[in-house]
Amino acid sequence: MDIDANLIEKMVKQVLNEIDAGKAKAEKTTAPEVKNENRNSASYGIFNTMEEAIDACDAAQKQYLFCSMAERQKYVQTLRNVVLKQENLELISRLAVEETGMGNYPHKLIKNRLAAEKSPGIEDLETEALSGDDGLTLVEYCPFGVIGAITPATNPTETIICNSIGMLAAGNSIVFSPHPRAKDVTIKLITMINKALEEAGAPQNLIVTVVEPSIENTNVMMKHPKVRMLVATGGPAIVKLVMSTGKKAIGAGAGNPPVVVDETADIKKAAIDIINGCSFDNNLPCIAEKEVIAVDSITDELIRNMKENGAYQVTDPAVIQKLADLVRKEGGGPKTSFVGKSAVYILEKIGIQAGPEVRVIIMETPKDHPFVMEELMMPILPIVRTRNVDEAIDLALIAERGNRHTAMMHSKNVDKLTKMAKLLQTTIFVKNAPSYAGIGVGGEGHTTFTIAGPTGEGLTSAKSFCRKRRCVLSDAFHIRDFSKGL
Ligand code: NAD
């Protein structure tokens, strides 16, 4: 077919024009403007409706994609700094206790500080590189987009701090759906963080929530197409729900951590560690010691040491029953009004006056007592005697209820420690220390307040909130040999 010169010239011009237009477009590919019609200038991430919150969060994430890793690092540090400012730390810790009526102020201070200091940031996102005869391949941790994070009443601010650090470091924006019992402190914290982020130059609305958190709003969030990933920290119901959405979901669910003490343990240390772990924030942490299973030959000594270190022992079966009637619902499970209350408060309700040194209420119970089998989240600690350590480990497996969450053991017998770790298959297994050693307090490793047993991410960190993506450069940047020429 003949093509005349005019036509060729026309085609060449057209191609050149297209190239110029493409260049101009490429030069213009900078961060899109975030439309803020959904936000009045003082709202700092707090919206009236979930739809508005998600739209703003989605726009923020698109803009966040244009920020460098240095900027991400700066924003994560900004978040840490604003939370660690003493007056802010004190405010959110005090409000969390006041609003939820659970836990205690000094321990909330410790937990919030821990979340701000020891939740990993961008350093967690280590790139994998594969090189060989065919070139270079990179595997990078990339953002999911907008993450919907559902947070518990028991660790309301700690979870938001820890999730925000990891999720922002990973390049995401976050819609929080907090427990309605913790809404005011959540709004206060999210406002505080957004304000600091905006002052540091970050896109607006990287972290959002709604004025009235509710189950309905959580449902809207879970179904919303712009929310790419769900992270639920809470009881079994919400974990099951997020896992059934068809979206990528991380479920951090309930535990009922047993602690086994055998005859080889340092009994005094075991007693002190158990009381410290069990009483931490009035037993609210999902990792805290919930029942003790002790070998008979050392049980008396263990109880004596516990009593010398902050335990009040109830021995009368009628009083133990009275206690159970007080703190458990008729159909089973803890009454909300007693979750996270202090030992002194609970004892007072059954007519026992105890001094402030009392941190945990202990009692001997049969192995199938509800105090053993149910996650109470209050400083009531049943003790079950067993004939030997093997029986203790078998019982620990039953009491853990298949949560595969956390367990502790005090022993110097490496074989039995190994047996228990193998058999229980918990996400966290702590040897010869309080439970909190498992989240980086007196134990190596980073911290988290989202321990994902059911979905397997374990102690979540920035990389848990990422998609792994592969980038392949064929036949280049493999520099070890000249086999393919220079
Ligand atoms: P919860 O299950 O009552 O609530 C957790 C969150 O889920 C809240 O935001 C709540 O509003 C929401 N939620 C619950 N049921 C829902 C439903 N049907 N639809 C929509 N949203 C729903 O738990 P909680 O009392 O806030 O927290 C305590 C529980 O969380 C304990 O079981 C504890 O072990 C667990 N927890 C686990 C971890 C972990 O890292 N694995 C950490 C903290 C708490």
Side-chain angles (χ1 to χ4, degrees):
M1 191 174 69
D2 277 336
I3 303 175
D4 72 32
N6 278 344
L7 185 59
I8 292 176
E9 198 184 325
K10 217 172 144 190
M11 281 168 69
V12 169
K13 267 189 184 158
Q14 193 182 334
V15 170
L16 288 175
N17 281 343
E18 277 171 15
I19 290 171
D20 280 344
K23 268 190 202 154
K25 203 174 162 200
E27 276 158 18
K28 272 197 181 156
T29 310
T30 50
E33 281 294 302
V34 174
K35 288 205 182 92
N36 277 323
E37 63 247 357
N38 289 330
R39 169 191 182 280
N40 76 49
S41 61
S43 72
Y44 293 114
I46 314 301
F47 291 84
N48 286 325
T49 70
M50 190 49 94
E51 287 283 351
E52 289 170 348
I54 293 171
D55 282 345
C57 197
D58 183 53
Q61 207 274 328
K62 291 198 167 84
Q63 212 191 26
Y64 195 34
L65 277 174
F66 288 83
C67 293
S68 64
M69 293 307 284
E71 284 169 310
R72 272 198 219 175
Q73 160 79 336
K74 177 174 135 192
Y75 303 146
V76 168
Q77 192 55 49
T78 300
L79 196 163
R80 294 189 204 276
N81 293 348
V82 71
V83 170
L84 289 170
K85 213 169 152 195
Q86 192 59 24
E87 63 185 88
N88 292 339
L89 205 55
E90 288 176 10
L91 179 71
I92 57 171
S93 303
R94 183 172 54 73
L95 288 181
V97 176
E98 279 174 11
E99 188 179 7
T100 64
M102 297 190 282
N104 67 63
Y105 173 68
H107 292 165
K108 291 278 190 222
L109 274 178
I110 294 172
K111 288 165 74 186
N112 284 317
R113 177 179 288 283
L114 176 68
E117 283 178 344
K118 285 193 86 173
S119 304
I122 64 165
E123 71 284 0
D124 196 44
L125 311 172
E126 276 182 25
T127 298
E128 212 181 301
L130 306 166
S131 70
D133 290 345
D134 290 332
L136 174 71
T137 290
L138 298 178
V139 182
E140 287 200 324
Y141 285 107
C142 303
F144 252 88
V146 176
I147 298 183
I150 299 149
T151 52
T154 48
N155 302 328
T157 49
E158 305 85 321
T159 311
I160 288 174
I161 295 164
C162 156
N163 281 181
S164 297
I165 290 173
M167 292 170 187
L168 280 189
N172 305 288
S173 61
I174 313 129
V175 185
F176 277 108
S177 213
H179 197 292
R181 265 183 91 179
K183 82 169 185 184
D184 291 344
V185 69
T186 298
I187 287 173
K188 184 72 84 186
L189 175 61
I190 290 181
T191 306
M192 183 190 284
I193 294 174
N194 265 313
K195 192 163 182 290
L197 288 176
E198 288 189 27
E199 281 165 11
Q204 293 168 348
N205 302 316
L206 278 176
I207 300 175
V208 301
T209 191
V210 287
V211 177
E212 285 301 333
S214 63
I215 288 196
E216 294 71 39
N217 272 324
T218 305
N219 283 321
V220 172
M221 185 190 79
M222 288 192 293
K223 289 192 191 116
H224 202 291
K226 284 183 181 167
V227 175
R228 297 296 190 104
M229 180 192 214
L230 294 166
V231 179
T233 310
I238 191 62
V239 168
K240 200 170 161 200
L241 267 181
V242 295
M243 286 171 76
S244 59
T245 55
K247 296 187 182 192
K248 164 70 185 175
I250 292 182
N256 191 34
V259 45
V260 164
V261 187
D262 79 7
E263 67 283 4
T264 68
D266 176 340
I267 303 301
K268 184 172 178 191
K269 180 180 183 312
I272 293 170
D273 286 352
I274 292 169
I275 297 300
N276 284 343
C278 175
S279 61
F280 191 55
D281 207 17
N282 296 344
N283 199 246
L284 284 179
C286 52
I287 58 165
E289 288 81 351
K290 300 281 192 287
E291 60 275 341
V292 174
I293 304 161
V295 171
D296 183 42
S297 59
I298 51 86
T299 304
D300 290 339
E301 191 189 346
L302 182 70
I303 290 175
R304 185 172 53 75
N305 277 285
M306 283 174 149
K307 284 160 74 177
E308 283 170 11
N309 290 283
Y312 181 96
Q313 187 183 13
V314 180
T315 49
D316 183 347
V319 180
I320 296 173
Q321 186 56 48
K322 201 171 164 187
L323 202 53
D325 293 342
L326 177 78
V327 303
R328 290 184 65 245
K329 292 187 279 203
E330 250 175 44
K335 282 185 193 154
T336 312
S337 51
F338 285 93
V339 171
K341 290 287 193 271
S342 71
V344 172
Y345 175 91
I346 297 169
L347 283 171
E348 197 191 321
K349 297 288 171 205
I350 53 166
I352 297 171
Q353 303 301 322
E357 72 286 357
V358 170
R359 292 180 285 150
V360 174
I361 308 165
I362 58 171
M363 70 287 298
E364 288 197 52
T365 68
K367 61 184 181 187
D368 54 355
H369 193 277
F371 284 174
V372 177
M373 301 305 287
E374 291 174 1
E375 185 197 31
L376 291 181
M377 292 182 288
M378 56 188 85
I380 290 179
L381 189 64
I383 300 166
V384 182
R385 283 179 197 255
T386 57
R387 279 171 298 188
N388 56 51
V389 63
D390 292 308
E391 208 177 287
I393 293 172
D394 288 346
L395 180 52
L397 179 64
I398 295 167
E400 212 275 323
R401 307 293 301 268
N403 292 313
R404 303 203 295 183
H405 194 297
T406 297
M408 275 63 64
M409 185 170 185
H410 293 266
S411 170
K412 296 210 172 99
N413 184 332
V414 173
D415 291 343
K416 300 302 177 192
L417 284 162
T418 308
K419 178 179 174 180
M420 178 151 162
K422 277 187 181 175
L423 210 62
L424 268 74
Q425 298 186 47
T426 47
T427 307
I428 297 178
F429 183 65
V430 178
K431 299 163 185 146
N432 300 322
S435 49
Y436 44 69
I439 55 164
V441 183
E444 288 300 320
H446 72 271
T447 204
T448 186
F449 284 85
T450 296
I451 298 152
T455 47
E457 290 78 6
L459 282 85
T460 55
S461 59
K463 66 164 85 73
S464 318
F465 310 120
C466 287
R467 297 170 62 221
K468 281 173 93 168
R469 292 170 54 204
R470 177 184 276 203
C471 198
V472 179
L473 179 61
S474 181
D475 278 343
F477 276 120
H478 164 59
I479 54 175
R480 278 178 294 209
D481 61 65
F482 303 162
S483 62
K484 291 204 171 173
L486 277 174

